[in-house]
Amino acid sequence: MSSNQYDVLVIGAGASGLMTAYMAAQRGRKVIVVEKANKVGKKILMSGGGKCNFTNLYVEPSNYISHNPHFVISALSRYTNWDFIGLVCKYGIEYEERKHGQLFTLNGAKEILAMLLAECDKTGLVDIKTNCEVKAVNAVDDQGFQVTTSLGYFEVESVVVASGGLSIPTLGGSGIGYEIAKQFGHHVYPTRAGLVPFTFSDNFKEVTTRLSGNAVEATLSNELNSFTEALLFTHRGLSGPSSLQLSNYWDVGQSFKIDFLPGEELFDFFKSKKQSQPKVLLRTLLTEHLPKSVVVELQNLIWSEVAETSIGNISDDKLEQIAKRLHGFEVKPSGTEGYRTAEVTLGGVDTTEVSSKTMESKKQKGLYFVGEVLDVTGHLGGFNFQWAWSSAHAASEYV
């Protein structure tokens, strides 16, 4: 093989790209990975606040959003969360379990990246080029592809598109994967930012600004889904796990509801307090459950006209109305913070045109798609990383 000839070219040195590279090299394939950024694995390094939520103990197909929901089953079942945990343990990487089965490294995401690079190095068959932008991918009869880059051209048998999506462009997010898919006749679903904070432009924005930095456990819900996790108020709107999760199921123009006291039966609570503490104010009762500043804002929004009335003098009808609003406070975001801060990109390459067993294009022999570029988006909690590992493994067995 000449210096510009390889068996496999992988576009993108992120989670799915590096995983595909080392696993394909373990089969004896000579691999080149091209990355347009100046460093590899930038998104890995910043993920999970720098601690990398690398998988989850409870991975199910239902944790993924796709127009073709059965597509993920094959890859996830052949390379599981336990397979990746085994690799992490082999490298002695310490990790901890957080809420909802989320697994994070104890000593930083750099250990996950170092592990992937060490696996690439061990094979002696993986070359990685940074500051290398793909300019064109051309199929050459049945001989594979010629890939033109800013560092020259490469002749390869297989091309693996592991370029990710549009999220966080400062870390290398780009649309090249979608362009390549369309070039070879693939349908690409419209993309939008996912796992992203909500923004507001109405009066509620002033409320979130005043409450910026406060967090409460809340349930956010719409007709498609609901999530009970931390809700964080910001200068621009709402963030925190519950907001990020629901953003995957929300579109511009839609509203959703916030239950500020999930698990409580507020009306029953109010009625019992009406009997036992008739002179107490509602805000005094609620500060047992919520930060005082949050209670004050909710009071202004929901029960300002009876703010100084003791609970014993508020009618049951009014108490029931207040309880209902606290359990289902409706808000209508103006939008989200967009790709700038989004953790993932929703939409992408139509999976009905890709083999769920091999990740190979059904339209172009030798062309593969792995990770986020596909129309597969995981919930928050390590599921997107697991999809990167599983889809990479599937492709690596056939490239």
Side-chain angles (χ1 to χ4, degrees):
M1 262 185 198
S2 70
S3 60
N4 68 338
Q5 287 184 316
Y6 291 84
D7 297 314
V8 184
L9 181 139
V10 179
I11 301 172
S16 61
L18 293 174
M19 189 83 170
T20 306
Y22 95 72
M23 287 189 150
Q26 284 178 340
R27 291 177 44 234
R29 307 295 278 159
K30 188 183 177 193
V31 183
I32 182 164
V33 183
V34 296
E35 169 57 57
K36 73 164 193 169
N38 61 343
K39 289 179 184 165
V40 302
K42 281 188 167 185
K43 213 168 168 188
I44 296 174
L45 292 174
M46 63 75 67
S47 65
K51 293 286 189 177
C52 190
N53 178 194
F54 58 85
T55 192
N56 194 290
L57 290 178
Y58 313 108
V59 177
E60 300 291 340
S62 59
N63 298 125
Y64 295 88
I65 303 161
S66 174
H67 289 85
N68 176 23
H70 297 294
F71 179 79
V72 299
I73 294 171
S74 174
L76 289 174
S77 63
R78 285 182 292 132
Y79 189 89
T80 70
N81 47 347
W82 302 107
D83 291 314
F84 194 78
I85 292 166
L87 182 63
V88 166
C89 291
K90 184 176 121 183
Y91 273 79
I93 296 171
E94 294 181 87
Y95 64 89
E96 64 178 347
E97 178 189 349
R98 296 190 193 169
K99 286 195 332 190
H100 310 293
Q102 300 172 31
L103 300 186
F104 287 79
T105 64
L106 282 174
N107 299 312
K110 62 185 182 300
E111 292 190 334
I112 297 293
L113 179 57
M115 175 187 77
L116 295 171
L117 292 173
E119 287 291 303
C120 286
D121 286 345
K122 251 186 343 193
T123 66
L125 291 171
V126 179
D127 287 341
I128 300 174
K129 305 274 189 194
T130 53
N131 292 308
C132 182
E133 192 167 352
V134 172
K135 304 288 190 185
V137 177
N138 294 305
V140 185
D141 302 326
D142 287 334
Q143 306 303 307
F145 302 86
Q146 186 179 81
V147 181
T148 307
T149 77
S150 55
L151 297 180
Y153 73 91
F154 301 97
E155 293 173 353
V156 297
E157 286 179 26
S158 304
V159 170
V160 181
V161 180
S163 52
L166 299 167
S167 50
I168 320 187
T170 54
L171 297 181
S174 81
I176 181 137
Y178 309 129
E179 293 163 23
I180 293 168
K182 288 174 182 172
Q183 175 193 332
F184 287 98
H186 279 268
H187 172 244
V188 176
Y189 282 104
T191 56
R192 61 185 174 88
L195 297 180
V196 63
F198 291 110
T199 57
F200 293 83
S201 56
D202 57 8
N203 294 342
F204 193 62
K205 181 182 186 297
E206 295 165 23
V207 174
T208 67
T209 300
R210 287 193 294 270
L211 289 176
S212 181
N214 279 281
V216 298
E217 191 79 2
T219 299
L220 271 58
S221 60
N222 60 13
E223 291 170 1
L224 295 175
N225 219 323
S226 77
F227 296 93
T228 304
E229 288 189 64
L231 172 68
L232 176 68
F233 294 94
T234 74
H235 286 290
R236 303 188 67 193
L238 296 174
S239 189
S242 58
S243 290
L244 300 184
Q245 295 277 38
L246 197 69
S247 72
N248 279 355
Y249 295 89
W250 176 88
D251 220 332
V252 176
Q254 298 174 345
S255 58
F256 61 82
K257 290 185 175 172
I258 304 171
D259 181 348
F260 284 101
L261 288 141
E264 297 283 339
E265 290 292 343
L266 268 183
F267 183 44
D268 292 345
F269 173 69
F270 288 159
K271 282 194 295 183
S272 71
K273 291 296 183 181
K274 194 173 178 179
Q275 298 298 319
S276 62
Q277 295 175 263
K279 293 186 176 175
V280 78
L281 297 176
L282 275 182
R283 67 171 173 267
T284 308
L285 289 175
L286 288 168
T287 49
E288 294 173 23
H289 300 274
L290 294 166
K292 187 177 179 182
S293 54
V294 174
V295 173
V296 169
E297 293 293 346
L298 289 173
Q299 173 182 276
N300 294 336
L301 290 166
I302 297 172
W303 70 93
S304 58
E305 72 276 22
V306 291
E308 304 306 322
T309 307
S310 59
I311 193 168
N313 293 319
I314 303 175
S315 70
D316 282 0
D317 281 352
K318 184 63 179 173
L319 288 174
E320 185 175 21
Q321 185 189 339
I322 293 166
K324 276 184 176 170
R325 285 206 69 196
L326 284 167
H327 281 313
F329 187 80
E330 192 163 338
V331 295
K332 189 174 183 178
S334 57
T336 70
E337 291 190 8
Y339 291 120
R340 184 179 64 82
T341 59
E343 294 195 20
V344 292
T345 305
L346 289 151
V349 178
D350 187 343
T351 57
T352 60
E353 299 170 351
V354 176
S355 164
S356 62
K357 181 181 179 186
T358 67
M359 301 293 133
E360 187 176 19
S361 162
K362 293 178 181 177
K363 294 181 173 286
Q364 175 62 50
K365 185 176 182 298
L367 179 65
Y368 296 78
F369 297 94
V370 295
E372 192 183 348
V373 71
L374 289 160
D375 174 38
V376 173
T377 305
H379 289 170
L380 188 73
F383 300 105
N384 288 292
F385 270 125
Q386 187 56 47
W387 174 244
W389 317 136
S390 296
S391 60
H393 170 266
S396 72
E397 294 191 307
Y398 294 92
V399 292

